[in-house]
Amino acid sequence: MLVSFMSRAWSRFIPALSTSVLLVACSASAQAHSGCVLEVENVKRFANSIPSLLDFAEKRFSEEKGEDVSSVDGLLRPIVTKSFEENSIFAKLEAELKPASCDDAELVAIAKRIADANDQLAGASNATGSSQAAPSQEKIQKLEALANTMVLPALAAENSVAGAAINTALQAYFTEKPEALAKQSASETQKTAEEAVANLRSHTGNLGPFDPQVAKGNLTAQLTSILSTLPESDITRLSEFYSSAETKADREKLIEIYGQEIDQRSSTMLSESIEAFKPHLASKHSASNTSASP
């Protein structure tokens, strides 16, 4: 069963999303390929960014709780890195999707403009103003609709589940009821971890900054800003690409596989973290009993 720390609100933590969205060159033939989706949106880079969520989670946890996280970092960081190691999720996507190469020169050129726009927006983050005219509300709605057909907003929501699981591990280390975890068997700990991740995914209330819907909205806004810098011909081409039946099918399959990997790896990370914490938790429980003795 879940212990108390699993159900506490994470409302003051935000997903460590990249400050910019780097979309790299890709091309597509008349028939959509999953490889195009992976490359156009640089899913590899996004999947590889998950371990960086630990830095942000530790910073916010320390600020909120006033705890020194240096002791837990030495235990938790190797586990998070291993669970979400570089290219591991992306390799799974490639193995399952078996993406074909793309060869559409028009999309290659568009993707280059997207990458350039991304760099310019990231570099202008500290600027006081912009000479570019603000797009109309009608155009913003059109661009938001396009952004929502892309993959990254959904993957941002998935990454926030991993972030919330990392934050749960931090809470476990500092739990005020260490005995509940310290005395669990390995199988009980695995069950606790799986239930915790399932609870994070199914939670419909306000998870605050680690809320998948907030993460999705933030990424959609970032994509909308990038798309607003492109010429109308580029928007038309991208809309055609993402509205095709083949791309839609590839998108849904990609998101499904990604989500399954997030759940599995988050559960493993949390279970292994609690196992690594057990000596500390047992010592903490013993110290608590000693201080409570007359």
Side-chain angles (χ1 to χ4, degrees), residues 21 23 34 36-44 46 93 97 146-158 216 219-220 223 241-242 247-256 258:
V21 182
L23 307 181
S34 56
C36 293
V37 179
L38 290 172
E39 293 184 50
V40 166
E41 302 195 47
N42 201 355
V43 173
K44 181 176 182 179
F46 205 72
L93 292 173
L97 296 173
L146 173 57
N148 276 316
T149 67
M150 300 174 77
V151 169
L152 286 189
L155 301 193
E158 295 297 335
K216 183 177 181 179
L219 213 297
T220 299
L223 279 174
F241 173 66
Y242 281 99
T247 301
K248 287 180 178 180
D250 290 337
R251 177 186 183 275
E252 294 306 310
K253 186 173 182 180
L254 191 160
I255 293 170
E256 178 183 5
Y258 196 97

Side-chain angles (χ1 to χ4, degrees), residues 4-5 16 20 33-34 44-46 56 65 80 123-124 145 171 183 190 198 200 205 219 229 236 280:
S4 60
F5 74 88
S20 62
H33 295 296
S34 56
K44 181 176 182 179
R45 178 175 179 267
F46 205 72
F56 184 81
K65 303 296 184 180
V80 170
Q171 292 193 354
K183 292 187 174 182
Q190 180 62 40
L200 290 171
L219 213 297
T229 68
T236 299
H280 159 78

